[in-house]
Each structure stands twice: as C-alpha cells, then as structure tokens.
Amino acid sequence: MIDPHFFIVSGGTPTLTDSVGNPWTVSYIMGIGDLTADLRLNIGAETSAKMVYENLMKFTEGEYVKESLRYLMTREVAHFQMFQAALDKIKDNFPPRILQSNPRFSNKYFNMSKEEDFKGGWNEGKSPIMGEQWQFILDPLEHVNKTNGLLNEQIEGTTRT
C-alpha cells in the first residue's frame, strides 16, 4: 500500500494479478467449449485441490492453519458435488460433442497385462455408460494380425453401427 507504483497504476484500487504480480489475463481460464467436458474438467480440478489441502494438513501443527485448510478442502467437496449434480442433469452427456465414436473399438479391452489379475468391472460385463458388452481380447498381437491391422475389425457387443 505504500508503494507509489500501486497508486499510479491502479488508482488506489486492488488489481487482479497472479501470485507473482503479473496482471490477470484470459489465459488463466481453462475450458474446452463443451459444457459436459468442462464440467468433467472442473470435477477433476476440485478432486486435485482437495488432495492438495489434505497433503498440506499433514505438514502443519498449527490448529488454526489446519482448520483453515479443512474449511478450504470442504469447499472443494461442495464444488465437486455441485459440478457433478449439474453434469447429471444433462441427459445423454457422454461421449461429449457431436461425432460418434467408432463402435468397432469403443468396447474393446486389449489385454496388455503381464500379470494374471487383469479382469474386473472395467473390462467385463457391460460398459457403465453406453451399455455395450465388453469384448476381451486376450492376445492383442494375434487379434491385430487376424484382423489385418484392425482394418477388418467387426462390430460386436453393441447395437451401434
């Protein structure tokens, strides 16, 4: 407040800057342009922020600092829930945008695992959103050879064409 530059540049009012003092610009806004994709992006950002606050709480002993961090962390949870509720209100919101995904590959699971534990809800039964039957490809190399580099891949496990 005593820096004369403050009064000359801002007229004595607060200026919008980042933590280093650089003026705010539109480049700070992150968006994809599709409402459902932007909501998912926000959900991910809220999740990351909550984790940061949890980690910061591990490194302080101050009761009031922890309480402040806990409050901020809790607000991230509130924002997460609001973004998720908004996303849930948009019907048929996945996959986003206009072009349909290729039904030959949207429900394929190529086993690239060297371990024995490679099956679970992510590759068995029906896919959670589109309701397609997962097609489990046990030997991807053999499958690629058999389908001429996937060029002759047939649509299976979905009603989409």
Side-chain angles (χ1 to χ4, degrees), residues 58-71:
K58 294 177 189 174
F59 295 104
T60 185
E61 298 297 322
E63 176 185 345
Y64 297 119
V65 173
K66 279 189 174 184
E67 188 56 36
S68 296
L69 292 171
R70 189 173 292 110
Y71 172 79

Side-chain angles (χ1 to χ4, degrees), residues 70-135:
R70 189 173 292 110
Y71 172 79
L72 293 170
M73 180 193 73
T74 302
R75 293 309 304 155
E76 303 301 344
V77 173
H79 300 153
F80 174 95
Q81 293 184 95
M82 287 182 240
F83 290 135
Q84 185 64 55
L87 182 62
D88 290 346
K89 290 284 184 195
I90 302 171
K91 299 298 178 207
D92 299 324
N93 68 22
F94 191 84
R97 302 297 292 166
I98 298 166
L99 295 177
Q100 173 181 276
S101 60
N102 189 330
R104 295 183 304 160
F105 307 111
S106 61
N107 61 342
K108 295 278 190 290
Y109 177 86
F110 294 88
N111 177 32
M112 304 295 206
S113 178
K114 293 183 179 179
E115 301 294 322
E116 301 243 353
D117 186 45
F118 49 79
K119 287 202 172 189
W122 58 90
N123 63 11
E124 289 183 312
K126 290 191 175 196
S127 61
I129 295 175
M130 297 174 73
E132 297 177 327
Q133 184 70 37
W134 284 112
Q135 304 299 305

